[in-house]
Every structure is written in structure tokens, then in C-alpha cells.
Amino acid sequence: MSRFLVTIVRRKILTASGGLVLAAALMAPNAAVQQDHAAQPGVAPAAAVTADAVSPFGQSGPRNLIKRLQDTYISNTDDADHSQGRLLHIGTPDGGTTKYRSFLRFDVSRLTGARIKKASLRLYNSFVPAADCGKNPWLGAYRVAEPWDEHTINWANQPAVGEGVAAYFGVGHPTGCEDQPNKYLPDESLGIQRIDITDMVKAWTTPGTATPNYGIRLSTQEGAPHPTTGATWYKDFCSMNPTTPDSDRACTKAYFTPTLEVEFNSGATPLITGNEYGPPYADGYPAAEEALEFLDSNNPLAWPQSKPYQRWLPDAYHAVEDASLKGALWKGGTSHKLRSSSLYGGQVLVAADGGSGFIGVIPYPSLAGYHWAINVRDTGEAGDLHGAELLPDGSVVAAFAGTPDGKSKGRLELYTKKQGAPGAWNNTAVSTYFFDGAHEVLYDPSSGDLWAVGGHALQRLRIVDGKLTHQATFYLPRQMDTRDPEKGAAAWGHDLAPVYGNPDRLWVAGNGGVTQFSKSGAAVCYQGTVSQKWPVRQHVETLRNEFGQVDTQVDGTRHWCTDYPNENVINTRTFVKSIGNDPVTGKVATTCADECPLANTHIDPENGELKRDYHTPLIEIVQPNGTRGAYQWSDNSKHYRATWAVPAYQ
């Protein structure tokens, strides 16, 4: 489990002194589909396995499922509107003469009906007095019981509160109480604190609840310092109004604003997908921007209402302040994987974007800052980056497809951990391996191999003496071609993913459709016929290279497999851009575009003809029982790949 989901404060019940639209959709199992196909006769559903998939983890923020609404502080010494201030105060700095309390409110209505596993209020404790250093005085987070408004609330009209929880913390440091914000990894800053408010959020999001959401009050002891320890209990927190660096050294990052973190719908593994569609918003951040999106797979029929529960892109809002990393041509993300990294102390998102050339290793689930990042697209170069993989030593391998004009050749490139260190990145590859049409790369921890798929082949490599080194080539079964029935046409591989539950197998997707690959070739696994459906027996039994020459060294029937559950439902599309299975539920997700009928379309300005694009608004999901549905949150979405949020390599 990620360290972000672990309770880090002590809780006790305090006694205070002084969305329903999505309910059914979020609660419903994923039973209804938009497009049904009969289950494969005689094939049992895929059994769930134990790979470490994650559950949806949402954070409040603009355009997210959970929204920040308002925050302010009040004082017994004035009635001013403090809602635009950069800080929130609680307690008393002068022994009780001046008293402060702070109020916050988040919109969780779109979580109504969701299964709430954990909810935390994340705060940035920017200051405690010297007298409190190391003493961890308490504060209380109370459920507000009456309406209030950040512009008009004051000490005299403040709302009543109900039950609360206590948390014990103050900015801690061996020699003082400095908050010490971390520029590149904000969540590792000393000032970050979390308060467990799971019970509050559950009460607010229960369908038909009698507990309205009026927010949270933060307050603490408001009298004289402790007679023995001298602790005052006074604290400052960053507010929902980030400041500029010239006015405050700490409360400048959006990650330091008060944030509600919620893990919900356990077992509903998220889908991660890049989206070139950047919808405009009336207000908030950003106005219109392509983004990487996280979708709750619990019930995809709810996507038009729930939309992505979280979005991410490598910009200053997400603490990626080096604008040269994102570049000017960011398209939302082409390759996106979760990984468990002992080197980086937890789960990370490995993201690559073909349009801009960005590759990054991002802390997950915080999605703020970065462990490693470079931009591989130099001036004048093609945007042919398609895939990326993180290796255990922190190095990264990227896959480049090349361009039709031959100016950029298909290849794999290796970059070291040092090259992407925050603050001084270097995009000169330490090793290059030319590979026609390289589209995706996958690391196998059991063998130390790297697998890569390209236009004509699947290749197995290793890193030997710091260089990408060829180990074996397995040619993809060619497609049927009426112009040359004997040799057929190139397969053009697009995606490569683990078959969770079977470490001997890999998913392979391409122009022809979907198949599985057996690494060992231990037994015949091909069950296809002479039909037109890829991979056809003729081209499995007689594998050919890109020049049409026969490979006599490999028995294709032992490597190219069609014996997996629901093959006749999963493998019904052509021009498949992504493929993968969820180890928790056994669902399989795919995207297809180009000549696939699910592709986005546009009108060619030169001849007025309808053209299909390389992206799609739809993600198809096949259930273990063989039913299939095509889902979208917007007609305008433009997805290339969709991947399950599973940190395991295999």
C-alpha cells in the first residue's frame, strides 16, 4: 500500500464547544454495457489474480472529481473578510488575547454512493512557534453543522460544529521548526501533514444522508501556554490561495493548498489514458489543456457524469516548474504505466508523450513534482516517441517509431538515472538500438529481459555493459494481403503489455488485432484457422521478416497464442492501439483507431473527404463473461492508449 494512504496522526473523538446524481452510478456494479457479444462457449472466465493493482485515489482540485470550494480564518479581534489570505491560522499567538479558527469546505457530492476506504485532509503546516518545536501540540478537525460563507463569516456569527478528530503535529526538525519545502518533491516537504477524516466523508457521501456537508473547522487550545512545556498550540497553514515566490517562500505550490484525498471504490482498478482533447472551462485551472486522465472502472456507464476523477500534466501547477520539460507540443500522453520502485520509495507513474517528447517518473499517488524527467524532442525533430519503461536501477528505455520519410529511424534509447535528475537533465542517449517501428517496451523482472514491439517483430534485449543488446527476434505474424497472399502484409505492432496472471504471456496489439505471445514456447498455443482473422494459421506457421523472408528457427504455433479466454470477443477489432487485462476483475481493455470504426474523424481540408484519426473517444472493456462495451466520457475525447493502473511489471 502506498505510504500516502497510511494514517500518520493519532485519532480520538472530540466533543466540540462553542452529489446525489451519481449515487446509483457509483454504487452499481459494472453490469450494463453498451454493446454486447456472446461469451465464448466452453471457456471459463479469467480468474482474478493477486498483482498489486490500486484503487481510485482522488485529490481535490480544479477539474477533479473533488473540488475545493472555500476557506478562510476568523479572529475574535476583527470582522474582516480573510478569504483571500495566503494563510490560515488557528490557536493564539499571545496567550489568549487574539484567537484564531479556520474553516474549509470541499465539494464531495460527486462521490455520493462511492465506497469510501480512506479520506485525509492534507495540510501544509508552514509555521509553529519556537516554544512548540518537537512537542507536537494537538489540533481539532471538527465537522461544521451549519452553513457559512467565507466572505461574511466572523467570530460572532460562526457556525456550530459537531464531532471531530484530534491530530498531534507541528513542523518537526531536529534543530527547529523550519518547514523546508521540497522544490521537486512537494509531498516530501516537512510541513506536509494529514488528518484522517474518513468518517466525515463517509457521512457526507452516504445516499440519503442526514449529515449535510458544511465543511470542517480547524481549531485548538486558545488560552495560556502550557504551564510545564510552554507549548502555545498556535499554527499557520497555507490556504487555498497560493502565493508568488516573491511574497512567500512556502505557500507557493498548488500542492501545499488544503486538499482532500480520498481512496474509494476498492477493487475498481483505474484506467489511465492520455487525452488530446483539452476541454475549455469557465473558470479554474487550466482553461483548456490536454491531460493524462484517471478513470474509475467501477461503472464506465457513469463516465459522462463522473468524468475523469483526476487529471495530470507536467506543468507548474503539478510542481514541474521547468517549462522546457513539457515543451510547447504536449498532447496528453502516449505511454503511461504505474510501477513499484524501491529506488524511489514507492509507486511511480512512468509517463511519455509523443507530441512534446516529455518522459517523466512521477510520484504516485501525489502526482506532484518528479523523481526523474527529460525531454527527448530537440528542435526540428519528429514527435515519434511512443513508449517508455523504468528499470530497477532508475534508468529509462524509450521507444521511437521513426517517420515514414526515414529522417527519424525507429529505435530504442537508454537514459541513465543521472540524466533525468531534477534541475539538470540531459537527453543524449547512452545507448541506441535501431528497431523499425518501435512502439512500446516492457521490462521482465524475472529474467532481466527487455521486450519491445515494433512494426514487424517482437524483440528480446538486455542491457549488457550499459548498452542495449539484442537477444532474440520473434517476427510478428503477417496480415493477409490479397495483393501478395503468400507473403502477406506487415503486422505493425502498436502495444505490448503483461498478461497478469500468466507470467509466460504478453499481450501484443497491432494493425491486425490482438494476440498473446508465449515467452517460453513450451507448448502449442495457437488455435486459429485459415480465416481472415489475424493472426491466421498460414502466417503463424510460416513467419516472415520485414523483407518477406521465411524464419525457419521459430515455431510460431508455440509462441503466437489464441487460446486465451474470450479471444473471439477481444480480438474483433483492427488497428488496435492498446491492450491489457485487470488482475483484480479479469476485465480486458482496448483502444483502436485509424481504420477502426471507433476512431475520431476529421474532414480533410484539401479534398473534403472524411478521414479517420489515430485516436478515439472510446475505450472498449470486455468482461470475464464475454460481454463487451464501448465507453466514453466525451464525444470529443482523443485517446491513444488506455492502461490499467497496476504497478507490477508482470
Side-chain angles (χ1 to χ4, degrees):
M1 177 176 289
S2 168
R3 64 187 176 89
F4 297 99
L5 306 182
V6 178
T7 304
I8 63 171
V9 295
R10 290 190 289 150
R11 300 180 69 224
K12 71 176 183 179
I13 299 299
L14 297 178
T15 302
S17 58
L20 204 51
V21 174
L22 291 182
L26 286 168
M27 293 177 68
N30 188 14
V33 293
Q34 295 174 333
Q35 180 181 15
D36 293 332
H37 295 263
Q40 183 173 348
V43 177
V49 296
T50 57
D52 56 340
V54 303
S55 299
F57 182 92
Q59 303 179 71
S60 56
R63 300 176 61 189
N64 289 351
L65 186 69
I66 310 165
K67 294 183 179 180
R68 305 182 189 109
L69 291 180
Q70 51 183 345
D71 72 339
T72 191
Y73 71 87
I74 58 173
S75 170
N76 67 327
T77 61
D78 69 66
D79 295 334
D81 177 359
H82 299 293
S83 62
Q84 301 307 304
R86 64 182 177 86
L87 294 173
L88 300 174
H89 311 289
I90 67 166
T92 174
D94 52 16
T97 301
T98 307
K99 302 176 182 179
Y100 294 105
R101 296 174 181 176
S102 290
F103 291 79
L104 311 94
R105 186 164 174 257
F106 302 89
D107 181 359
V108 296
S109 61
R110 292 166 65 194
L111 279 170
T112 300
R115 303 183 303 276
I116 306 299
K117 180 178 181 180
K118 178 69 178 295
S120 299
L121 174 62
R122 186 180 78 225
L123 298 168
Y124 189 85
N125 186 183
S126 66
F127 173 78
V128 297
D132 291 7
C133 285
K135 297 169 184 174
N136 291 330
W138 69 273
L139 69 80
Y142 300 90
R143 179 182 61 82
V144 179
E146 297 174 329
W148 56 279
D149 180 86
E150 64 180 352
H151 300 295
T152 58
I153 187 174
N154 56 47
W155 197 267
N157 67 18
Q158 64 181 291
V161 296
E163 71 282 356
V165 294
Y168 298 80
F169 61 74
V171 174
H173 190 266
T175 60
C177 283
E178 298 87 350
D179 53 282
Q180 296 189 7
N182 188 313
K183 179 178 181 181
Y184 297 109
L185 295 168
D187 197 64
E188 296 187 7
S189 301
L190 293 180
I192 290 290
Q193 307 287 348
R194 288 174 170 83
I195 305 172
D196 187 340
I197 58 168
T198 304
D199 291 343
M200 281 190 210
V201 175
K202 282 184 176 180
W204 294 334
T205 57
T206 300
T209 182
T211 307
N213 175 16
Y214 295 128
I216 303 163
R217 189 188 84 186
L218 301 178
S219 57
T220 186
Q221 179 75 24
E222 295 169 347
H226 191 279
T228 302
T229 67
T232 70
W233 293 274
Y234 178 78
K235 290 178 171 64
D236 287 344
F237 300 98
C238 296
S239 76
M240 294 182 186
N241 306 302
T243 62
T244 56
D246 60 349
S247 61
D248 187 277
R249 76 182 187 93
C251 298
T252 59
K253 294 185 182 296
Y255 194 74
F256 292 162
T257 64
T259 298
L260 183 58
E261 303 173 331
V262 181
E263 184 184 9
F264 62 100
N265 285 350
S266 295
T269 307
L271 280 162
I272 310 173
T273 180
N275 195 344
E276 287 192 28
Y277 169 55
Y281 282 73
D283 53 19
Y285 157 87
E289 185 73 70
E290 299 90 341
L292 203 62
E293 299 177 340
F294 294 79
L295 294 160
D296 174 14
S297 68
N298 183 60
N299 182 14
L301 287 174
W303 288 352
Q305 291 77 41
S306 66
K307 299 178 173 57
Y309 67 83
Q310 186 156 306
R311 295 175 173 89
W312 174 87
L313 62 151
D315 62 355
Y317 181 88
H318 294 96
V320 182
E321 296 177 355
D322 181 350
S324 66
L325 286 169
K326 174 175 172 286
L329 299 171
W330 166 261
K331 293 296 183 182
T334 306
S335 176
H336 23 80
K337 306 179 178 83
L338 285 192
R339 289 290 179 249
S340 291
S341 172
S342 59
L343 182 69
Y344 293 125
Q347 294 173 357
V348 294
L349 169 70
V350 184
D353 179 61
S356 63
F358 172 86
I359 307 175
V361 180
I362 313 301
Y364 182 87
S366 69
L367 296 175
Y370 60 99
H371 294 289
W372 186 101
I374 62 175
N375 191 298
V376 297
R377 185 171 184 175
D378 292 325
T379 302
E381 286 190 343
D384 60 338
L385 170 65
H386 277 70
E389 178 66 294
L390 173 68
L391 305 186
D393 67 355
S395 57
V396 171
V397 178
F400 299 82
T403 56
D405 59 12
K407 292 182 179 179
S408 177
K409 295 184 179 298
R411 64 205 183 278
L412 303 176
E413 292 189 346
L414 174 66
Y415 307 93
T416 67
K417 179 179 183 290
K418 183 178 180 180
Q419 287 181 268
W425 56 270
N426 178 352
N427 67 2
T428 301
V430 298
S431 178
T432 298
Y433 177 84
F434 290 103
F435 180 26
D436 190 26
H439 265 64
E440 189 56 283
V441 59
L442 183 68
Y443 177 68
D444 184 347
S446 65
S447 64
D449 290 331
L450 278 168
W451 292 89
V453 68
H456 309 280
L458 182 67
Q459 297 222 15
R460 180 166 61 86
L461 303 96
R462 285 190 181 177
I463 298 176
V464 180
D465 296 329
K467 296 187 179 298
L468 293 161
T469 305
H470 175 264
Q471 300 292 309
T473 296
F474 300 88
Y475 291 109
L476 302 176
R478 293 170 74 84
Q479 300 180 75
M480 294 296 292
D481 187 351
T482 56
R483 296 167 296 180
D484 192 343
E486 182 180 1
K487 293 183 178 180
W492 299 115
H494 286 290
D495 198 24
L496 180 65
V499 176
Y500 290 115
N502 188 344
D504 182 53
R505 296 285 183 95
L506 300 173
W507 291 104
V508 177
N511 279 11
V514 171
T515 187
Q516 287 187 1
F517 175 81
S518 168
K519 303 173 193 174
S520 67
V524 173
C525 57
Y526 182 75
Q527 298 178 344
T529 66
V530 294
S531 71
Q532 300 295 305
K533 181 181 176 181
W534 186 80
V536 299
R537 180 168 290 278
Q538 171 188 344
H539 292 303
V540 171
E541 293 179 340
T542 306
L543 297 170
R544 296 175 183 270
N545 64 17
E546 62 266 42
F547 307 109
Q549 298 166 332
V550 176
D551 178 7
T552 60
Q553 304 300 310
V554 177
D555 180 356
T557 65
R558 290 176 175 269
H559 288 285
W560 299 107
C561 308
T562 58
D563 60 348
Y564 55 90
N566 297 319
E567 187 273 344
N568 70 326
V569 180
I570 295 168
N571 187 22
T572 57
R573 298 291 187 192
T574 56
F575 294 84
V576 178
K577 304 299 185 181
S578 67
I579 175 69
N581 68 300
D582 174 19
V584 176
T585 63
K587 300 173 184 176
V588 175
T590 61
T591 58
C592 65
D594 289 321
E595 299 307 312
C596 172
L598 303 186
N600 294 102
T601 59
H602 71 278
I603 300 298
D604 190 327
E606 293 186 2
N607 55 29
E609 294 181 356
L610 186 69
K611 298 289 186 180
R612 296 191 184 276
D613 298 324
Y614 65 88
H615 39 61
T616 175
L618 295 158
I619 298 172
E620 288 202 296
I621 298 176
V622 176
Q623 304 285 343
N625 66 4
T627 56
R628 182 176 72 194
Y631 307 96
Q632 64 186 55
W633 73 264
S634 170
D635 292 338
N636 299 314
S637 290
K638 297 178 180 180
H639 307 299
Y640 178 65
R641 286 191 177 112
T643 54
W644 295 100
V646 181
Y649 284 94
Q650 297 287 335

